[in-house]
Amino acid sequence: MLESWRWYGPFDKIKLAEIAQTGASGIVTALHEIPYGEVWPVETIRARQAEIAGNGLGLHWAVVESLPVHENIKRGEGDLTALFANYRQSLANLAACGIRTVCYNFMPLLDWTRTRLDAPVSRGGTCLRFEAHEMAAFEVHMLKREGAEADYSPEVLEKARNWHDASDENARQTLLASIMAGLPGAYDRYDVEGLRQALEHYKDIGRAELQANYARFLAEVVPAAEELGMRLCVHPDDPPRDILGLPRIVSSEEDVAWILAQQQARANGLTLCSGSLGANPANDVPAIAERFADRIHFAHLRNVRKDPDGSFEEAAHLEGDTDMVALVAALIREENRRREEGRLDWSIPFRPDHGHELLSDSGRGTHPGYPLIGRMRGLAELRGIVRALTHERIHFA
């Protein structure tokens, strides 16, 4: 398995020389400075490649995360001809530069969502947390979204009301900022009124409409990706549930099966994110990996610890609800199958996804969820699993 590391390019507080010291060699990044829907030029891609590889550190650009899908495509709004053409051209330009794995998501409006960016961890450090009653307080009392109460239990709604009544303006703004933090590419942040207006664009879009728009996107781009030898891999919803009244359609095993059935080509694949899928109590993540192994082109490995009310927090990589050893074993079995098949692209890149802020991470101002020490700990733990499972005395059925 190819050890990789998420890097935000010039925006990242963590430098390439530091990443090299973690032992990872594959860089996972994007051209975040290019607005959504515009073509990624070859010269800009090559310049970023040179920045990564030209320093003698043994690094290379392994995975694009992500080539964003424009909101108009998700909404099915207007003449999308140019947007689809631009996406295909960006894929062609990446292929011309030798970059063939592209992670993307189809989450409406927001990316990953948390309510706390610095929840305390028992032995020191902090983690990202999704607190159900804080999300309910935001939706019901701050955003005042019509129908939001129906998405939460009476117990969560009571806690939400108590939280809101006891909160001051600073606490509410901190909650808003936390919810907005999961927008790594766009860097646009909504205030409450701005979010309310943005949600209006989705008021007539339910699950069926979003699925239809997604199927159209796949039909427009997957054949081109297959011809180019590209691997598209959708990232699951995070959290894996409807949120802010927006439908989420990449949240379960059934959702993944539907997506991969839309285009049978190998280019239509999955980013196996154990944290996103693991936050849904109905998901057996190792079983999902086994079922869709031949279409997994990239893996985000992290763990979560769930609460009965729908809350969850990011646990240490080996300490959450997902059996990480069983999951990694499933991925290694698939790598072995591909190698026996004679494929040159048998290796599955993975990265330690998110991480606790530990030790000198505190106060450094890295992107939420992407500290140096916490992720390096996760990578070391995952490396140990991989090394043990690939030892010459271990044989896979």
Side-chain angles (χ1 to χ4, degrees), residues 16-17 50-59:
L16 291 169
E51 181 181 2
I52 293 167
N55 47 36
L57 296 173
L59 303 175

Side-chain angles (χ1 to χ4, degrees), residues 316-344:
H317 285 74
L318 305 188
E319 296 178 6
D321 297 337
T322 294
D323 185 339
M324 194 61 68
V325 176
L327 174 57
V328 173
L331 297 176
I332 291 174
R333 280 194 290 273
E334 173 59 18
E335 282 193 331
N336 291 341
R337 187 195 68 78
R338 295 178 189 184
R339 190 157 34 192
E340 291 168 3
E341 207 176 61
R343 283 174 53 178
L344 297 178

Side-chain angles (χ1 to χ4, degrees), residues 29 43 77 136 139 220 266 302 327 366 395:
T29 192
E43 57 271 21
E77 183 175 286
E139 290 207 64
E220 290 278 356
R266 186 181 290 170
R302 63 179 168 89
L327 174 57
T366 54
H395 300 280

Side-chain angles (χ1 to χ4, degrees), residues 83-84 87-88 91 104 216-226 232 267:
L83 287 175
F84 287 132
Y87 205 95
R88 290 190 294 266
L91 292 176
Y104 71 97
R216 180 183 176 188
F217 168 76
L218 293 173
E220 290 278 356
V221 303
V222 168
E226 183 74 5
L232 297 176

Side-chain angles (χ1 to χ4, degrees), residues 5 274-275 300-305 314-325 327-328 350-356 358 369 371-383 385:
W5 189 275
S274 58
H300 289 180
L301 300 181
R302 63 179 168 89
N303 227 319
V304 295
R305 184 176 294 107
E314 300 193 352
H317 285 74
L318 305 188
E319 296 178 6
D321 297 337
T322 294
D323 185 339
M324 194 61 68
V325 176
L327 174 57
V328 173
F350 78 94
R351 65 175 179 83
D353 192 20
H354 295 184
H356 293 172
L358 305 173
L372 177 61
I373 304 300
R375 281 189 291 165
M376 185 165 66
R377 173 188 169 180
L379 177 58
E381 293 175 341
L382 295 167
R383 179 182 296 140
I385 293 175

Side-chain angles (χ1 to χ4, degrees), residues 141-346:
H141 300 287
M142 292 174 59
L143 189 63
K144 301 185 187 303
R145 179 174 70 83
E146 184 178 353
E149 293 90 343
D151 292 343
Y152 299 96
S153 69
E155 294 78 14
V156 168
L157 290 173
E158 181 179 0
K159 289 181 69 176
R161 183 176 62 253
N162 293 339
W163 182 94
H164 186 264
D165 290 347
S167 66
D168 58 15
E169 184 60 23
N170 182 62
R172 296 172 190 175
Q173 288 304 311
T174 298
L175 176 58
L176 172 63
S178 298
I179 292 170
M180 291 296 107
L183 290 168
Y187 293 102
D188 291 330
R189 299 293 182 262
Y190 300 106
D191 58 15
V192 169
E193 183 54 35
L195 179 58
R196 194 177 287 128
Q197 292 176 10
L199 289 170
E200 276 294 303
H201 293 288
Y202 279 94
K203 65 179 181 180
D204 297 321
I205 298 177
R207 180 178 177 86
E209 290 78 14
L210 190 62
Q211 282 188 317
N213 296 339
Y214 189 15
R216 180 183 176 188
F217 168 76
L218 293 173
E220 290 278 356
V221 303
V222 168
E226 183 74 5
E227 185 175 343
L228 291 164
M230 300 290 285
R231 298 290 179 260
L232 297 176
C233 37
V234 64
H235 187 285
D237 301 325
D238 188 8
R241 48 161 286 183
D242 292 356
I243 197 166
L244 295 171
L246 299 168
R248 294 290 183 96
I249 58 172
V250 195
S251 294
S252 67
E253 182 174 351
E254 292 72 22
D255 289 342
V256 174
W258 179 88
I259 292 161
L260 299 184
Q262 299 311 298
Q263 297 286 321
Q264 295 289 351
R266 186 181 290 170
N268 181 29
L270 173 67
T271 295
L272 194 285
C273 180
S274 58
S276 298
L277 291 169
N280 182 341
N283 288 335
D284 181 333
V285 182
I288 290 173
E290 292 278 7
R291 178 177 177 184
F292 303 114
D294 64 332
R295 304 283 281 278
I296 294 172
H297 304 319
F298 183 34
H300 289 180
L301 300 181
R302 63 179 168 89
N303 227 319
V304 295
R305 184 176 294 107
K306 299 181 289 293
D307 296 333
D309 67 354
S311 303
F312 62 90
E313 69 180 25
E314 300 193 352
H317 285 74
L318 305 188
E319 296 178 6
D321 297 337
T322 294
D323 185 339
M324 194 61 68
V325 176
L327 174 57
V328 173
L331 297 176
I332 291 174
R333 280 194 290 273
E334 173 59 18
E335 282 193 331
N336 291 341
R337 187 195 68 78
R338 295 178 189 184
R339 190 157 34 192
E340 291 168 3
E341 207 176 61
R343 283 174 53 178
L344 297 178
D345 62 340
W346 58 266

